């Protein structure tokens, strides 16, 4: 099986209904891109379980979840996740990015 082109990397803080909604809208804007290899996602915040449940239901496979929230900060926690990336390209997903083109 050939490895696909793109890994999705995210380190979210989902701490409000608005951020959760933005994450869902963003996800729907690019989820059908057929070259996604896997999703490597850290979710922090009071709604982290809601966000994880949504993504798990939509993706089912090829997703690695983290719930890192160290006192050393976002960058420190992100470095722990990088070893799970393996595709040629990485998309750094921010929960409010919306793709305006279709695939």
């Amino acid at each position: 099986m050939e490895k696909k082109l793109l890994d999705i990397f995210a380190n979210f803080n989902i701490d409000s209904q608005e951020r959760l909604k933005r994450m869902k809208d963003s996800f729907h804007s690019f989820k059908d891109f057929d070259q996604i290899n896997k999703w490597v996602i850290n979710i922090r915040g009071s709604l982290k379980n809601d966000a994880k449940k949504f993504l798990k239901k939509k993706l089912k496979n090829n997703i690695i979840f983290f719930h890192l929230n160290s006192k050393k900060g976002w960058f420190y926690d992100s470095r722990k996740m990088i070893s799970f990336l393996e595709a040629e390209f990485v998309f750094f997903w921010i929960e409010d990015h919306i793709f305006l083109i279709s695939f």
Side-chain angles (χ1 to χ4, degrees), residues 15-52:
D15 60 355
S16 69
Q17 287 296 327
E18 180 63 27
R19 280 193 177 203
L20 182 61
K21 181 184 180 326
R22 286 182 189 171
M23 184 206 75
K24 290 177 180 180
D25 291 342
S26 176
F27 172 81
H28 287 297
S29 77
F30 71 92
K31 69 176 174 54
D32 293 328
F33 181 61
D34 64 356
Q35 283 298 308
I36 296 174
N37 180 54
K38 75 167 117 173
W39 304 69
V40 179
I41 299 177
N42 185 48
I43 310 172
R44 303 166 281 123
S46 59
L47 296 175
K48 67 184 174 198
N49 292 327
D50 294 336
K52 181 179 180 179

Side-chain angles (χ1 to χ4, degrees), residues 1-95:
M1 179 197 269
E2 187 176 324
K3 185 170 45 174
K4 295 187 178 181
L5 186 66
L6 186 68
D7 283 347
I8 307 297
F9 178 92
N11 192 342
F12 295 142
N13 182 22
I14 307 297
D15 60 355
S16 69
Q17 287 296 327
E18 180 63 27
R19 280 193 177 203
L20 182 61
K21 181 184 180 326
R22 286 182 189 171
M23 184 206 75
K24 290 177 180 180
D25 291 342
S26 176
F27 172 81
H28 287 297
S29 77
F30 71 92
K31 69 176 174 54
D32 293 328
F33 181 61
D34 64 356
Q35 283 298 308
I36 296 174
N37 180 54
K38 75 167 117 173
W39 304 69
V40 179
I41 299 177
N42 185 48
I43 310 172
R44 303 166 281 123
S46 59
L47 296 175
K48 67 184 174 198
N49 292 327
D50 294 336
K52 181 179 180 179
K53 182 178 177 182
F54 169 81
L55 291 171
K56 201 172 200 179
K57 179 180 176 185
K58 297 294 183 181
L59 295 172
K60 296 181 176 67
N61 298 316
N62 296 332
I63 186 164
I64 300 170
F65 282 110
F66 296 86
H67 290 297
L68 304 172
N69 194 18
S70 73
K71 294 184 189 300
K72 294 184 178 185
W74 179 93
F75 186 74
Y76 177 85
D77 294 342
S78 293
R79 288 179 53 197
K80 290 184 173 187
M81 301 163 56
I82 288 175
S83 65
F84 292 89
L85 300 171
E86 56 187 29
E88 185 175 352
F89 297 99
V90 176
F91 173 63
F92 289 90
W93 181 24
I94 308 296
E95 78 272 2

